[in-house]
Amino acid sequence: MLNQVVLVGRIVEEVQKEERGYKMRLAIPRSFKNAEGEYETDFIEVQMLDNVGNSVKEYCKKGDIVGVKGRLQSSLNSLVEVVAEKVTFLSSRGNN
């Protein structure tokens, strides 16, 4: 059995420290248009343990593009989130 996910998206808000590690939200545009001819965007929650989250918090900010390799995890209330094993820094918006 396999539970692996790879995402590339833009960080929506500053990385947040939480009780169980770190959390970030990615915006990932879909590659197809909807019925109205517009591209929709998915917003995905990513959980990171301290070893991954510390680096992301230090080097990434809102607007940066990152790649995430991880797994899907669901909770009792049917919430599905990505738990990151690795985050790759792909692009930065600079110091603006």
Side-chain angles (χ1 to χ4, degrees), residues 72-82:
L72 293 178
Q73 176 175 286
S74 63
S75 61
L76 294 175
N77 62 359
S78 298
L79 173 70
V80 176
E81 61 190 7
V82 174

Side-chain angles (χ1 to χ4, degrees), residues 10-12 15-16 25-26 35 39 43 46-47 49 59 68 72 85 87 90-91:
R10 193 173 296 278
I11 299 174
V12 175
V15 177
Q16 301 294 314
R25 187 178 224 199
L26 294 183
Y39 291 100
F43 294 91
V46 178
Q47 293 292 328
L49 297 178
Y59 295 107
V68 175
L72 293 178
E85 298 170 3
V87 176
L90 299 175
S91 171

Side-chain angles (χ1 to χ4, degrees), residues 10-11 60-61 63-67 88-94:
R10 193 173 296 278
I11 299 174
C60 296
K61 60 188 176 308
D64 288 350
I65 298 174
V66 295
T88 304
F89 314 146
L90 299 175
S91 171
S92 175
R93 287 208 171 186

Side-chain angles (χ1 to χ4, degrees), residues 1-2 5-7 14 16 19-20 23 30-31 39 41 44-46 56-57 60 63 67 69 71 84 88-90 93:
M1 291 175 232
L2 179 66
V5 62
V6 176
L7 303 169
E14 296 302 322
Q16 301 294 314
E19 184 177 314
R20 56 184 206 181
K23 177 180 83 171
R30 294 182 182 174
S31 60
Y39 291 100
T41 300
I44 308 293
E45 297 287 333
V46 178
V56 175
K57 176 81 173 158
C60 296
K69 178 182 177 251
R71 62 184 165 82
T88 304
F89 314 146
L90 299 175
R93 287 208 171 186

